[in-house]
Amino acid sequence: MEKGPLQRLQEIAAEIADLHSAAALLAWDEQVYMPKAGAPARAQQAATLRRLAHEKLTDPQVGELLEQLAAEHRGDPATDAVAAMLRVMNRKYHQATRVPAALVAAEAKAASAAYHAWLQAREEKNFGPFREPLAEVVKIQVEKAEALGYEDARYDALLDLYEPEMRTAEVAAVFARLKDFLVPMLGRLSEVLDRVDDGILYQEFDEDRQWALTLEACRAIGFDFDRGRQDRSVHPFTTACDMDDVRITTRINRGFLGSGLFASLHEAGHGLYEQGIDPAFRRSPLGSPISLGIHESQSRLYENLVGRSRAFWQFFMPKAAAAFPARLEGVTAEDMYRAVNKVAPSLIRVEADEVTYPLHIMVRFELEQALIQGDLTVDDLPGAFDDAMEAYLGLRPANSVEGVLQDIHWSGGYFGYFPTYTLGTLMSVQIFEAARRDLPHLAADMASGRFIPLREWLREHIHRHGSRFMPQELLQRATGSRLDPQPFINYVEEKYSELYGL
Ligand code: ZN
């Protein structure tokens, strides 16, 4: 019997998924085990896989099949998995075909040049060498946004690549509310920062014992090591070759207990999402997480709402003390709860606490949006960065490495990516609150090491759906509301007022 259009499209999508999975494994290996000398060969292998996947996706046949199937399948994606699959495939097809091949090539070339210039600029602590290459990257991103198309703001086109259907205006409105709360909150906290001491975390902690402790924490929250593994890398990350093959990484810092443990909880949160996707979506466009924001909501949930909770430390403190009897002798769960929640405004985004982290993101969102809209030039960027840091965090970078050269994202052309970190954080609180409404014993369960009810709730409401629903649709179904900063505001206000005796 001849294959129908749906089956033909599904077969193409499955092969594209296979190519992406193979590329993911090569990228994982590059950061975890590959000898340095393997880099040039690996870059070629990755480029070939990327090109093959792109060719398969942009084949005119895919466009024809999508058109044909759209006429036959007018179902509601919420109730019809085929309609949901077509929606995702349509988005990917249009994103891939709207950007001309020459622009894709120029983008990769500009990103590579800018990355090396960024490294050099950091070395010299001087923005100079990065200026021209970054201007080229911005120019190409503007062209890309124009090619992709948008209704209101040019930045929308880029934001949509990472957070489908999210709009610049909505992010700006949410961030404005957050700023009105966080800046004064930080002002109040700044008077009393020394009321919380985190000295116990900064001692010498044996690396092997830390490693074992990170595994214990991941296992406790329900990460399945028969369907995943943890390794070490310089920058922690998560990648999935399949829902049954999920790789997380962490880094261990001998002088700081928080580094490895919270990186592991964060990445295991990402990993649980990947492991929880419905196996029926394997090798299908629905078989991946729907957005970076939703992905980050899961990692932040486990890192902060679980890992930085009193209940978690009531359970985990005896385990930490058993691993480090000499270092943590006499340290109570309450001492540890306070230590892991110390607020410390700093210039470095990746070291920021729950209160100050969103402020770092707002600075970047404001600036990158202005660059893409044409309201700010690359020449004026370093000064604008320092001014914004001072306005949001009350700190002024002493040099460009602490300032505008801090993050890798812009060198790679990742404009529209930063906001997803904070969107994820806001959604993590909304989702955790919804879980708590359904699981009245959640805190008591966590305090006694029972984390499976939470994982199962997340699996049911978030994980298993993969890309079936658009992000805000998924959030609405899981929590009863779309993106709303108020639960995060309430959470920070209550938690930190109590911790700091405000
Ligand atoms: Zn993350």
Side-chain angles (χ1 to χ4, degrees):
M1 207 174 86
E2 205 185 324
K3 287 173 190 163
L6 181 60
Q7 199 187 350
R8 278 161 63 208
L9 187 71
Q10 281 169 331
E11 282 177 7
I12 295 170
E15 287 182 353
I16 294 172
D18 288 344
L19 289 167
H20 285 308
S21 294
L25 183 61
L26 289 187
W28 169 85
D29 173 72
E30 184 171 359
Q31 293 191 58
V32 175
Y33 286 117
M34 189 188 77
K36 236 183 178 171
R42 184 56 48 89
Q44 283 169 337
Q45 295 152 5
T48 300
L49 288 176
R50 226 184 358 256
R51 182 173 54 74
L52 290 174
H54 185 79
E55 282 171 11
K56 278 193 182 296
L57 177 59
T58 55
D59 188 323
Q61 191 197 166
V62 172
E64 288 158 22
L65 289 170
L66 282 169
E67 232 169 82
Q68 196 181 338
L69 287 163
E72 294 168 16
H73 275 273
R74 298 196 180 278
D76 176 6
T79 50
D80 179 347
V82 172
M85 188 276 279
L86 292 174
R87 171 168 67 178
V88 174
M89 196 73 181
N90 248 310
R91 277 182 53 88
K92 288 185 195 293
Y93 177 74
H94 287 295
Q95 279 167 2
T97 49
R98 279 180 189 164
V99 184
L103 190 56
V104 175
E107 186 184 22
K109 202 172 148 209
S112 168
Y115 171 68
H116 291 286
W118 174 71
L119 290 177
Q120 188 198 341
R122 282 176 64 89
E123 190 84 28
E124 295 175 14
K125 291 196 164 98
N126 171 19
F127 184 69
F130 191 41
R131 189 184 314 267
E132 282 297 312
L134 179 62
E136 181 65 16
V137 168
V138 171
K139 189 179 133 249
I140 288 170
Q141 291 304 312
V142 167
E143 286 175 33
K144 186 175 163 184
E146 291 297 332
L148 287 166
Y150 52 86
E151 279 168 27
D152 302 323
R154 189 190 280 152
Y155 185 83
D156 284 348
L158 303 178
L159 181 60
D160 187 78
L161 296 173
Y162 307 104
E163 198 60 27
E165 298 184 348
M166 183 52 69
R167 295 289 172 262
T168 311
E170 181 170 5
V171 176
V174 165
F175 282 13
R177 269 179 71 192
L178 213 47
K179 183 185 180 185
D180 286 346
F181 162 71
L182 283 176
V183 172
M185 179 80 191
L186 183 59
R188 285 155 69 207
L189 285 168
S190 294
E191 308 289 313
V192 293
L193 288 178
D194 56 3
R195 287 185 189 165
V196 171
D197 180 20
D198 62 352
I200 47 173
L201 299 172
Y202 292 90
Q203 309 179 64
E204 291 276 302
F205 291 97
D206 178 78
E207 293 190 24
D208 291 341
R209 288 183 176 212
Q210 282 199 58
W211 175 255
L213 203 60
T214 64
L215 291 175
E216 197 167 357
C218 293
R219 205 169 276 125
I221 63 169
F223 185 81
D224 184 349
F225 282 94
D226 290 330
R227 301 165 57 229
R229 51 179 292 126
Q230 177 178 268
D231 293 88
R232 290 171 79 155
S233 67
V234 178
H235 303 286
F237 68 97
T238 296
T239 200
C241 306
D242 183 80
M243 48 283 276
D244 285 342
D245 182 359
V246 178
R247 318 286 175 105
I248 64 173
T249 73
T250 192
R251 65 174 154 216
I252 304 290
N253 179 341
R254 199 177 168 79
F256 176 43
L257 186 60
S259 180
L261 187 61
F262 287 103
S264 282
L265 285 169
H266 181 101
E267 300 306 331
H270 282 305
L272 287 174
Y273 185 6
E274 301 274 5
Q275 287 186 335
I277 294 175
D278 187 339
F281 296 158
R282 168 169 288 128
R283 298 176 78 224
S284 129
L286 300 183
S288 346
I290 183 60
S291 77
L292 289 187
I294 297 289
H295 223 317
E296 195 68 4
S297 77
Q298 300 308 293
S299 57
R300 292 279 173 188
L301 188 149
Y302 278 100
E303 178 188 356
N304 293 330
L305 283 307
V306 173
R308 290 191 163 86
S309 70
R310 263 199 182 93
F312 178 81
W313 284 100
Q314 282 160 9
F315 157 69
F316 207 64
M317 191 59 226
K319 300 184 183 305
F324 301 106
R327 301 280 179 251
L328 299 177
E329 197 196 345
V331 174
T332 64
E334 185 65 17
D335 296 335
M336 197 56 114
Y337 169 67
R338 294 179 68 80
V340 300
N341 285 297
K342 181 167 177 65
V343 176
S346 94
L347 289 162
I348 309 303
R349 175 181 63 86
V350 296
E351 291 169 6
D353 52 77
E354 283 185 292
V355 179
T356 55
Y357 193 93
L359 298 167
H360 289 265
I361 295 304
M362 289 177 210
V363 166
R364 288 152 177 81
F365 167 68
E366 208 171 279
L367 297 175
E368 68 177 22
Q369 196 203 146
L371 284 171
I372 296 299
Q373 297 295 137
D375 299 333
L376 176 70
T377 66
V378 168
D379 283 349
D380 292 332
L381 179 62
F385 191 99
D386 294 350
D387 290 346
M389 286 295 282
E390 197 161 359
Y392 282 87
L393 281 138
L395 299 167
R396 197 167 183 89
N399 59 58
S400 52
V401 174
E402 287 181 346
V404 68
L405 295 175
Q406 199 179 118
D407 303 296
I408 194 171
H409 304 59
W410 288 339
S411 75
Y414 293 102
F415 286 79
Y417 188 117
F418 274 124
T420 66
Y421 291 119
T422 290
L423 299 179
T425 300
L426 301 179
M427 293 190 282
S428 74
V429 182
Q430 288 183 259
I431 292 167
F432 191 76
E433 292 297 325
R436 197 153 64 174
R437 285 195 292 272
D438 286 352
L439 304 170
H441 308 299
L442 182 56
D445 275 350
M446 295 203 303
S448 51
R450 282 192 299 273
F451 294 91
I452 301 308
L454 176 62
R455 187 194 71 184
E456 291 307 302
W457 190 94
L458 293 168
R459 198 163 267 183
E460 171 66 22
H461 293 88
I462 306 284
H463 301 168
R464 71 184 174 97
H465 297 301
S467 288
R468 171 121 195 220
F469 303 109
M470 286 293 120
Q472 293 306 307
E473 209 179 336
L474 180 68
L475 190 64
Q476 174 85 42
R477 294 173 68 99
T479 72
S481 115
R482 19 182 318 124
L483 179 66
D484 177 7
Q486 199 58 46
F488 174 81
I489 290 172
N490 297 343
Y491 160 75
V492 168
E493 171 79 40
E494 276 168 39
K495 178 173 175 177
Y496 291 90
S497 295
E498 193 242 8
L499 264 164
Y500 281 86
L502 293 179

